[in-house]
Amino acid sequence: MSDYRIAVIPGDGIGPEIMDEALRTLEKAGSVFGHSFSFTKLLMGGAAYDAVGTCFPEQTVPVCRSHDAVLLGAVGGPKWDALPGPERPEKALLKIREGLGLYANLRPAIMHKALAGACPIKPENVGDSMDLLIVRELTGGIYFGEHGWRDGKFGPEAYDVERYSETEIRRIAHVAFKAAMARKKSLVSVDKANVLETSRLWRRVVSEVSAEYPEVSLSHMYVDNAAMQLVYRPGQFDVILTSNMFGDILSDEASMITGSLGMLPSASLSDGSFGLYEPSHGSAPDIAGKGIANPIATILSASMMLRYSLSLAKEADAIDYAVESVLNSGMRTADIAEPGTSAISTAAMGEAIRARL
Ligand code: IPM
Ligand code: MG
């Protein structure tokens, strides 16, 4: 029997509610397969600000590092919107990604057949199914370039610098090519090389790396075109490789095509097996505390944690299968319920998934 130590950051808004369901699901999977999990809860984001006066307590990174993996709910909310940029809950998220060296963000967007009705795209344009993986660079680019305010030609101005090194591009490219090798061997690298120097460097380095993966067919696409192609024919994509900000935008777009933002998990990885797992959606302050949020993205993030950080593929498959089976049975939280049909609570969805494990 193995014991796994998980650092847990429930966060703000719906974070604590959806995290509860994910932790219970892990416990249930543990009891079925003979593992135990111990959870160390940490404060980060607005919850930490309220409790200890900072969104990013100093011990966050070292405590996370002393665990096998990190599970995170969501951070941020209107309550903390007036904080200056460097003190905001969102900044804490960037700091934890940077502090833990999590440069590779994997965001799978899978359209579950049962949810086809919630997809806003015409069925004939989706193709047989949509199952794509966005590989988003997570610790570079404009999120981490120089930021500031200054006096400019037209008065006060602000700036954020997009910056990428060859090394940063090369390592994320390897992640994407490896992912493509394990899937359909097709990779689309998304950039804005007709305008941006960073994108021209991106394109050159990705093309160089492609020489090491002759079986993978690589194409390049401008981000504006990619955004359009995603809503036009999402079925054409398998693995998409892109920069931090483009990946942020395209992953929200892809998630909506699957029916709801509430369905998409994510894994943020560094070179070893350590990783941080969080739903791709935010803290949804408008529905926080109502018990109606969809816990599936967080539960699927826990499944990704089992697969990528703990090498428990069988256990991860079981959770994925349980989610699929609940969706097939017609149970829906409000975000994925068709108009006029009834929706179940966060807790009831979690319970239904556990019952199928
Ligand atoms: C995401 C979020 C974050 C990001 C925000 C909350 C900082 O939108 O994980 O996609 O932009 O990376
Ligand atoms: Mg985002």
Side-chain angles (χ1 to χ4, degrees):
M1 167 142 171
S2 347
D3 181 43
Y4 298 97
R5 300 180 64 241
I6 314 298
V8 175
I9 305 175
D12 308 319
I14 59 171
E17 305 162 43
I18 53 182
M19 184 58 76
D20 253 13
E21 298 311 320
L23 299 186
R24 284 183 202 188
T25 304
L26 282 173
E27 272 166 350
K28 175 75 192 284
S31 76
V32 172
F33 289 94
H35 310 292
S36 70
F37 296 96
S38 53
F39 302 122
T40 307
K41 289 210 178 162
L42 297 178
L43 288 178
M44 197 185 91
Y49 186 84
D50 291 348
V52 295
T54 169
C55 286
F56 195 66
E58 241 170 66
Q59 67 272 21
T60 309
V61 166
V63 171
C64 287
R65 270 201 195 290
S66 70
H67 288 72
D68 296 316
V70 186
L71 257 183
L72 191 149
V75 296
K79 187 172 173 198
W80 306 281
D81 271 351
L83 289 176
E87 288 170 38
R88 289 176 62 105
E90 290 81 357
K91 187 71 181 186
L93 200 50
L94 303 192
K95 284 184 180 162
I96 196 173
R97 290 170 179 170
E98 186 182 33
L100 295 170
L102 306 170
Y103 65 87
N105 185 212
L106 309 185
R107 297 189 161 182
I110 298 169
M111 190 160 86
H112 297 269
K113 288 235 157 57
L115 291 186
C119 171
I121 315 272
K122 286 194 200 130
E124 61 267 33
N125 290 338
V126 179
D128 286 345
S129 67
M130 182 175 105
D131 178 350
L132 65 86
L133 175 69
I134 297 184
V135 178
R136 170 191 179 194
E137 199 291 326
L138 201 61
T139 53
I142 197 166
Y143 276 51
F144 291 91
E146 198 193 330
H147 307 288
W149 297 74
R150 64 189 167 202
D151 284 324
K153 210 164 39 175
F154 306 105
E157 62 179 30
Y159 59 95
D160 303 277
V161 177
E162 168 89 352
R163 188 205 54 75
Y164 267 115
S165 64
E166 291 187 9
T167 307
E168 289 168 299
I169 301 168
R170 192 168 296 115
R171 66 183 182 178
I172 191 70
H174 279 289
V175 172
F177 277 104
K178 285 186 183 133
M181 281 301 289
R183 296 172 52 109
K184 292 188 188 149
K185 301 192 169 77
S186 145
L187 176 63
V188 178
S189 174
V190 172
D191 63 37
K192 187 71 185 172
N194 48 349
V195 178
L196 303 176
E197 287 302 334
T198 41
S199 284
R200 288 190 268 271
L201 177 65
W202 184 278
R203 206 171 260 227
R204 199 195 78 210
V205 173
V206 172
S207 301
E208 282 166 16
V209 172
S210 76
E212 294 177 46
Y213 303 87
E215 287 176 53
V216 175
S217 83
L218 167 70
S219 57
H220 301 276
M221 199 180 271
Y222 296 140
V223 64
D224 47 351
N225 185 28
M228 181 275 279
Q229 295 290 341
L230 258 178
V231 287
Y232 177 51
R233 288 193 198 287
Q236 70 183 283
F237 295 100
D238 188 48
V239 181
I240 293 178
L241 162 64
T242 193
S243 64
N244 203 342
M245 187 161 71
F246 295 160
D248 178 45
I249 299 167
L250 294 179
S251 60
D252 267 28
E253 188 187 356
S255 72
M256 200 57 221
I257 298 169
T258 70
S260 167
L261 213 50
M263 297 294 300
L264 247 76
S266 87
S268 304
L269 307 170
S270 53
D271 287 322
S273 62
F274 183 81
L276 178 149
Y277 300 82
E278 58 175 322
S280 295
H281 61 70
S283 60
D286 52 322
I287 57 164
K290 296 188 179 162
I292 59 170
N294 185 349
I296 292 180
T298 315
I299 290 171
L300 292 176
S301 299
S303 152
M304 288 186 91
M305 176 184 84
L306 298 178
R307 196 180 300 283
Y308 290 102
S309 283
L310 311 182
S311 297
L312 299 175
K314 199 165 75 242
E315 292 76 353
D317 286 344
I319 292 180
D320 295 354
Y321 180 78
V323 168
E324 190 75 52
S325 145
V326 166
L327 293 173
N328 288 341
S329 79
M331 285 187 221
R332 302 282 185 268
T333 42
D335 57 314
I336 48 176
E338 302 222 11
T341 65
S342 65
I344 62 172
S345 68
T346 310
M349 179 56 91
E351 200 44 58
I353 292 167
R354 288 189 289 279
R356 284 167 171 76
L357 274 176

